[in-house]
Amino acid sequence: MGAAYLIFLLASLGCMVLLDARLRLFFWHDAGRAAAVLVTGVLFFLAWDLAGIGLGVFYRGQTDLMLGITLAPELPLEEVVFLTFLCYLVMNLFLMARRVVEDVQRRRSATEHNQHHSDATENNLEGRS
């Protein structure tokens, strides 16, 4: 089952795409910006990996769950797919969290506005008595 890890990664990446499409978070919000951010993130982490490999810190472990295809010494194909998934996941989580925070702030602002309006109405009514 040499493709198990790759299949799992692709399925997970597919779930990120479905979540993005459903909530219009990343690519479905602004495809051009999303592509630039995703490519930049993957390239950054690939450079990080290559630096780690060059320093002897990172190495490819042996497992029957991977295809065995390497893009560079100690850099398996699955690593690029994992980094793509990781960057997509982080951006979806970040944008979802930002949306939740903005929603909470909007509700808090509306509650404060309603409270202020209610207090003003009460003061106006008391002044008429």
Side-chain angles (χ1 to χ4, degrees):
M1 194 66 195
Y5 183 51
L6 182 61
I7 291 168
F8 176 75
L9 287 172
L10 291 172
S12 299
L13 187 57
C15 290
M16 286 298 101
V17 171
L18 290 174
L19 180 68
D20 183 13
R22 172 71 173 98
L23 300 177
R24 300 178 114 10
L25 294 168
F26 194 39
F27 276 95
W28 270 260
H29 178 71
D30 186 342
R33 186 179 297 175
V37 169
L38 188 66
V39 168
T40 301
V42 171
L43 290 176
F44 171 80
F45 284 116
L46 275 175
W48 180 293
D49 280 356
L50 292 172
I53 290 167
L55 293 171
V57 177
F58 299 157
Y59 60 93
R60 182 180 174 273
Q62 294 297 94
T63 178
D64 292 334
L65 300 175
M66 294 169 58
L67 288 175
I69 299 170
T70 56
L71 304 176
E74 306 297 327
L75 183 67
L77 169 68
E78 291 86 354
E79 182 69 7
V80 176
V81 178
F82 170 75
L83 294 176
T84 303
F85 165 74
L86 178 67
C87 291
Y88 205 158
L89 170 68
V90 169
M91 289 313 304
N92 275 348
L93 288 173
F94 172 79
L95 293 169
M96 196 178 329
R98 186 171 78 177
R99 188 176 291 173
V100 167
V101 167
E102 288 171 352
D103 189 45
V104 167
Q105 289 173 340
R106 191 172 22 261
R107 287 181 185 181
R108 184 175 294 149
S109 177
T111 301
E112 290 171 0
H113 174 72
N114 290 340
Q115 181 63 37
H116 177 69
H117 180 68
S118 176
D119 290 346
T121 303
E122 284 180 26
N123 289 339
N124 193 14
L125 291 175
E126 288 174 5
R128 291 184 183 174
S129 305

